[in-house]
Amino acid sequence: MAEMPDLQQSPDTRNVAIDKVGVKNIRYPIVVSDKSRVRQHTVARVNMYVDLPHHFKGTHMSRFIEVLNLYHGEISIESLDTILHEMKKRLEASRAYLELDFPYFIEKTAPVSGAVGLMEYQCRMLGILGEEQDFVLGVTVPVTSLCPCSREISARGAHNQRSLISVQIRYRDHVWIEDLVGWLEECASAPVYSLLKREDEKAVTEQAYDNPMFVEDIVRAVTVRLSSLPQITWFQVECENFESIHNHSAYALVEHRELH
């Protein structure tokens, strides 16, 4: 049988290098370190890319999946470095990218009744390996925010809303997802729970009323909190308030570089 031609490795004369080429939106099982249960199994949406020199026509897309399958059941924060090295080797690239977006579940206890429920948090891991390695951990945390202006000017009540705090961090020592979620929840008017009894609802509502925050207050509070942690070397924080009495969202962002 004649050898099949390898068109991807054929020359390209347009002299255009490609920064990222690869596969997106692969659904794949992964394992994440869990502070209370050691390991948590979840399913990630995976993106894998490499760079492509100008003189090659294309990359071998099947090799990305081959690399994933090599580490079936072992894909975790701890194995990202190994996977990135394998991607560079198999695809003959100088730079590799691996992105994992996945749901992570944390058991939360209601503040008064003690009722227990599972809360879902969207998390993200981004690994990049070129001459040096880079790793970013991200999490999005739903919280409650209560408008200070509304509370100040209203004779009865104040408008509040669900908000999303999204943080990406670089760190030198391990940071648990559970701890990161907790730090962010402390910076809002009140946390969000999956299960609340009546006595809990009263407590959470009053907590938010006693702790009003604009979207600007939330990102500043997160900035102060994360800046105080020596293990975090860089972070970006965003907050979006899904306004309950406006047809728009309120938004704020802070980026801090090389803190410690």
Side-chain angles (χ1 to χ4, degrees):
M1 182 176 177
E3 185 177 348
M4 298 180 69
D6 186 351
L7 290 181
Q8 284 90 346
Q9 292 296 298
S10 62
D12 192 287
T13 59
R14 286 166 287 190
N15 198 34
V16 178
I18 297 177
D19 296 319
K20 288 183 180 180
V21 58
V23 293
K24 289 190 68 172
N25 293 327
I26 308 164
R27 299 284 289 175
Y28 211 82
I30 67 168
V31 178
V32 185
S33 297
D34 186 310
K35 190 175 183 180
S36 60
R37 296 191 296 271
V38 183
R39 289 157 65 88
Q40 182 174 143
H41 294 266
T42 184
V43 177
R45 192 174 298 278
V46 183
N47 300 331
M48 305 173 76
Y49 315 113
V50 294
D51 61 347
L52 184 69
H54 69 86
H55 52 274
F56 286 142
K57 186 173 184 64
T59 195
H60 292 84
M61 298 295 181
S62 62
R63 293 182 185 176
F64 291 101
I65 310 302
E66 289 173 351
V67 171
L68 266 187
N69 290 338
L70 275 179
Y71 300 95
H72 177 69
E74 300 176 11
I75 299 175
S76 64
I77 294 178
E78 294 75 19
S79 66
L80 287 192
D81 178 63
T82 304
I83 297 172
L84 288 165
H85 274 96
E86 188 66 27
M87 288 170 62
K88 286 182 64 176
K89 176 184 173 182
R90 290 230 176 181
L91 290 137
E92 302 177 50
S94 61
R95 196 169 182 85
Y97 305 82
L98 181 60
E99 300 172 357
L100 307 174
D101 289 277
F102 57 93
Y104 187 79
F105 294 87
I106 299 176
E107 199 171 78
K108 289 187 68 175
T109 302
V112 179
S113 70
V116 175
L118 281 177
M119 275 288 296
E120 176 186 348
Y121 300 92
Q122 286 299 314
C123 299
R124 188 167 195 259
M125 298 178 191
L126 168 62
I128 304 172
L129 181 63
E131 293 183 4
E132 298 181 352
Q133 184 171 354
D134 189 20
F135 175 77
V136 174
L137 173 65
V139 63
T140 297
V141 177
V143 295
T144 295
S145 58
L146 185 134
C147 178
C149 180
S150 176
R151 197 188 80 156
E152 182 68 23
I153 64 178
S154 302
R156 298 180 301 278
H159 85 82
N160 56 24
Q161 52 269 322
R162 179 90 57 85
S163 302
L164 290 179
I165 306 174
S166 298
V167 165
Q168 299 185 80
I169 65 169
R170 293 186 176 97
Y171 54 86
R172 60 167 58 91
D173 296 318
H174 183 72
V175 173
W176 291 103
I177 293 174
E178 290 87 343
D179 290 340
L180 185 55
V181 167
W183 297 329
L184 301 185
E185 288 180 335
E186 291 170 1
C187 297
S189 295
V192 167
Y193 298 84
S194 62
L195 177 59
L196 293 173
K197 310 298 279 185
R198 282 181 298 175
E199 58 268 34
D200 302 309
E201 187 171 342
K202 177 179 185 296
V204 172
T205 301
E206 291 174 350
Q207 178 184 349
Y209 189 82
D210 291 338
N211 191 30
M213 286 199 172
F214 292 122
V215 69
E216 299 93 332
D217 294 316
I218 293 175
V219 295
R220 284 174 170 146
V222 173
T223 296
V224 171
R225 185 71 178 95
L226 297 186
S227 297
S228 70
L229 301 169
Q231 65 267 45
I232 295 179
T233 61
W234 169 91
F235 68 84
Q236 177 180 285
V237 53
E238 301 173 83
C239 185
E240 182 175 2
N241 291 355
F242 300 94
E243 298 287 292
S244 60
I245 61 170
H246 304 292
N247 192 29
H248 60 258
S249 294
Y251 174 82
L253 178 148
V254 172
E255 179 178 1
H256 261 222
R257 303 173 184 273
E258 302 305 326
L259 300 175
H260 307 286

